[in-house]
Amino acid sequence: MVVPLQEDGRLPVSLRSHLGGYEWRRDALGRSSACVFRLEAERRPGLYLKVEEAGPFCELADEAERLVWLASRGLPCPEVIAHESDGERSFLLMTALPGADLVTAAMLLPEERVEVLASALSTLHSLDISACPFDHRLDNRLAVAEARMRAGVVDETDFDEKRLGKSTFFLFGELQRLRPASENLVIAHGDACLPNFLAADGRFAGYIDCCRLGVADRYQDIALACHSIAYNFGEEFVRLFLNAYGLSIIDPVKMDYYQLLDEFF
């Protein structure tokens, strides 16, 4: 991955006027393929800059579109300041939201954080899917998963423990064989892990890392949220999350399926 230098000569001209005088700090949280920088300056608003190699699987244009759309729905998310590409790299400059992500929000107890996550997902899932232009139903997501597999960009060393040692081609065959017969469609975040939701003053403060937001099965989010909660806080908090979300009975087949699908992204 190309990591940009902070000198103006390494940045598109359109970005330079926004970034003068800022101090840069690399943000290493998360699994994004982009380099993420926190930019801070005295008496100026905090910013985030994402930089990703240009190519067929670059997601920054997708993220910019979805943030603009989310803001148009009145939901809290970063404001897009600029999205540019120099042919080799794509750049996304955004405002920083207040608060901390739900992994590091130490002012809240784990049970409070999972309730914040449940509320954030309930709000998003209650939106009218007919108003959303981003289609992430299985026909589309499986096509992207297959393209990523054939391009060799799926990291087999990063599979969950129960799938380690299995090939991407084998797991894609499982995706096809086990595909659910129906989809319960909502507007899904697409990567509903704890680091992608913020809290401030004890309440939900915003959605981030929204490049995979779109119309999808509810379990696209429920499965990833449960996995993230179990990993960060322990299995005992999963039921608390599901109760807060309002899902008394879960579909274990869909839970496993959408966790499997996530291995390709």
Side-chain angles (χ1 to χ4, degrees), residues 1 31 59 107 115 176 197 218-219 233 237:
M1 181 184 301
R31 301 183 304 167
E59 295 182 313
M107 75 292 291
E115 289 173 355
Q176 294 175 307
F197 299 80
R218 186 182 309 275
Y219 275 85
F233 301 145
F237 290 94

Side-chain angles (χ1 to χ4, degrees), residues 96-102 116 194-200 203-208:
L97 295 180
D101 70 80
L102 293 180
V116 168
L194 289 162
N196 294 336
F197 299 80
L198 303 181
R203 296 181 296 179
F204 176 61
Y207 305 90
I208 60 173

Side-chain angles (χ1 to χ4, degrees), residues 3 17 27 47 57 68 101 114 120 130 140 151 170 178 191 213 215 217 228 243 248 250:
V3 179
S17 62
D27 188 336
L47 304 174
F57 303 113
V68 170
D101 70 80
V114 301
S130 68
N140 289 333
F170 172 80
L178 299 172
D191 191 9
L213 181 144
V215 175
D217 191 284
S228 183
N243 289 343
S248 58
I250 64 168

